[in-house]
């Protein structure tokens, strides 16, 4: 059989590209820009498979126009909210993702955001960097201590559990909400809350680790933010869709929420300029999984899924 033809729209790690070129006929998009709907549709007639990222959108409209030649979307991401899974499944197109391999990297960024939001990282860095630091006082830049604080985690999947493990190292008390309770072995003493109603009032820190779905859209909104204790700190490394950004800004303005650490936004790339005006919002540009080791592992996982598919086996990470 001829080697399958594979479209790679974004610049993946060198090791990923080398392995892909060894085993497939690769068409790589020359510029590292998101694949547009028109490009996805046009490429589907030329390739058997694609390795997109969360920046390529497979909406129902796009999926309806895909050429039948293209049989598998092997995502280079754990999140699959950019894919209309139902439409893809109806067309018989296999979809896979890259779970596990990015959990630690994303949990590390959540820790950075939590610490940075709690300890004035934005204002402090700017003060020193601009040469404007000209005094010191015991009441200067006083933040919130995380040691011994209660951390609420929404979504205790792989990333949520990796984050809980790191937070335990900081002496935090872990509370979580998840559709189903973890086994005691996986809980490590964390306290399960069947509903957000009991979790949120406990959460001096709250970190989001659930997927973006129709059910979780704007999960953090005026009502749920109000249930957090005054002075709570919110962290989001999952998806911007989970947060009603206007409600979060209002909660920051009223000082009900002390600070936020955000790696994800409703509009990406770009973010929300209203957050950018606030020193108590520590932000990063969706780089949760951006370490060299994790990029290689994500690329290899996507290729493992493709290899299985083209060898006639079930890909390990099939989601549709
Ligand atoms: C993921 O894998 O879902 C990350 O957000 C990067 O795309």
């Amino acid at each position: 059989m001829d080697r399958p033809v594979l479209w790679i729209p974004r610049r993946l790690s060198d090791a990923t590209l080398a392995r892909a070129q060894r085993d497939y006929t690769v068409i790589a998009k020359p510029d590292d820009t998101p694949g547009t709907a028109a490009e996805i549709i046009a490429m589907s007639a030329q390739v058997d498979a694609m390795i997109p990222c969360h920046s390529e959108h497979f909406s129902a409209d796009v999926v309806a126009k895909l050429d039948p030649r293209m049989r598998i979307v092997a995502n280079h991401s754990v999140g699959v909210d950019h894919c209309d899974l139902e439409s893809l499944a109806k067309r018989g197109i296999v979809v896979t993702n890259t779970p596990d391999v990015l959990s630690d990297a994303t949990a590390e960024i959540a820790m950075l955001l939590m610490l940075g939001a709690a300890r004035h990282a934005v204002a402090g860095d700017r003060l020193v960097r601009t040469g404007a630091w000209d005094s010191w006082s015991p009441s200067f830049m006083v933040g919130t201590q995380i040691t011994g604080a209660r951390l609420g985690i929404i979504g205790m999947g792989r990333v949520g559990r990796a984050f809980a493990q790191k937070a335990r190292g900081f002496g935090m008390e872990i509370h979580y909400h998840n559709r189903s309770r973890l086994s005691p072995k996986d809980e490590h003493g964390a306290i399960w809350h069947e509903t957000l109603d009991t979790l949120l009032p406990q959460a001096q820190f709250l970190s989001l680790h659930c997927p973006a779905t129709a059910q979780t859209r704007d999960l953090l909104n005026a009502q749920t933010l109000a249930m957090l204790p005054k002075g709570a700190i919110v962290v989001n490394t999952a998806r911007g869709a989970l947060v009603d950004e206007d409600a979060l800004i209002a909660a920051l303005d009223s000082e009900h929420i002390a600070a936020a650490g955000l790696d994800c936004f409703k509009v990406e790339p770009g973010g929300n300029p209203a957050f950018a005006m606030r020193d108590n919002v520590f932000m990063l540009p969706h780089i949760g999984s951006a370490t060299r080791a994790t990029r290689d592992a994500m690329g290899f996982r996507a290729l493992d899924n493709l290899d299985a598919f083209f060898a006639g086996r079930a890909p390990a990470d099939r989601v549709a």
Side-chain angles (χ1 to χ4, degrees):
M1 177 193 162
D2 287 345
R3 280 153 49 110
V5 183
L6 170 61
W7 187 46
I8 302 185
R10 306 310 305 269
R11 187 177 307 140
L12 303 185
S13 76
D14 290 347
T16 303
L17 202 55
R19 179 175 147 185
Q21 283 165 334
R22 186 193 66 194
D23 299 336
Y24 297 88
T25 299
V26 173
I27 303 177
K29 195 164 179 277
D31 55 347
D32 185 20
T33 57
T36 63
E39 286 171 322
I40 294 170
I41 294 162
M43 289 311 300
S44 67
Q46 296 177 44
V47 302
D48 306 296
M50 296 184 175
I51 302 189
C53 296
H54 75 267
S55 49
E56 282 66 55
H57 295 272
F58 290 75
S59 65
D61 278 358
V62 169
V63 173
K65 294 178 188 140
L66 292 176
D67 190 276
R69 173 170 179 179
M70 207 272 297
R71 292 188 293 142
I72 172 166
V73 174
N75 284 297
H76 183 280
S77 67
V78 66
V80 288
D81 48 306
H82 57 290
C83 293
D84 186 321
L85 295 182
E86 210 181 303
S87 305
L88 284 154
K90 275 196 194 130
R91 294 271 332 254
I93 298 170
V94 170
V95 183
T96 59
N97 70 344
T98 56
D100 293 322
V101 291
L102 44 64
S103 305
D104 281 320
T106 308
E108 286 173 11
I109 281 286
M111 187 56 71
L112 171 65
L113 289 169
M114 182 164 71
L115 287 165
R119 300 299 293 274
H120 302 288
V122 175
D125 178 84
R126 194 180 42 245
L127 200 66
V128 183
R129 188 180 296 272
T130 59
W133 179 32
D134 58 2
S135 69
W136 185 90
S137 146
S139 60
F140 170 65
M141 294 226 166
V142 175
T144 308
Q145 187 150 316
I146 71 168
T147 307
R150 285 187 305 274
L151 167 64
I153 295 179
I154 301 182
M156 205 59 149
R158 299 168 181 92
V159 181
R161 292 205 295 270
F163 183 54
Q165 185 199 28
K166 293 177 194 343
R168 262 191 300 273
F170 278 80
M172 300 188 87
E173 180 182 303
I174 316 293
H175 294 246
Y176 73 98
H177 168 68
N178 200 49
R179 269 174 309 186
S180 50
R181 186 173 178 172
L182 302 184
S183 68
K185 178 176 84 47
D186 288 332
E187 252 178 4
H188 296 286
I191 299 156
W192 179 60
H193 294 257
E194 194 169 358
T195 67
L196 292 183
D197 295 352
T198 59
L199 173 83
L200 294 175
Q202 297 293 329
Q204 295 167 299
F205 291 82
L206 181 74
S207 193
L208 306 180
H209 296 286
C210 54
T213 63
Q215 290 71 42
T216 59
R217 188 175 176 80
D218 289 339
L219 166 120
L220 211 54
N221 53 42
Q223 199 192 339
T224 47
L225 284 162
M227 293 165 75
L228 291 166
K230 184 168 167 54
I233 291 175
V234 166
V235 174
N236 185 13
T237 53
R239 283 293 185 264
L242 301 174
V243 177
D244 175 340
E245 294 185 344
D246 290 341
L248 177 55
I249 288 160
L252 288 161
D253 285 349
S254 71
E255 296 178 16
H256 181 66
I257 299 299
L262 306 173
D263 186 46
C264 299
F265 303 88
K266 279 254 164 33
V267 176
E268 293 186 14
N272 184 334
F275 286 134
M277 291 159 57
R278 288 162 173 82
D279 274 0
N280 54 352
V281 186
F282 182 32
M283 296 182 284
L284 293 170
H286 200 141
I287 54 166
S289 54
T291 68
R292 278 184 288 279
T294 295
R295 286 288 180 253
D296 282 349
M298 290 172 75
F300 281 23
R301 188 93 175 206
L303 288 167
D304 289 346
N305 285 317
L306 280 184
D307 292 353
F309 176 80
F310 286 109
R313 300 191 309 271
D317 305 314
R318 184 168 180 172
V319 292

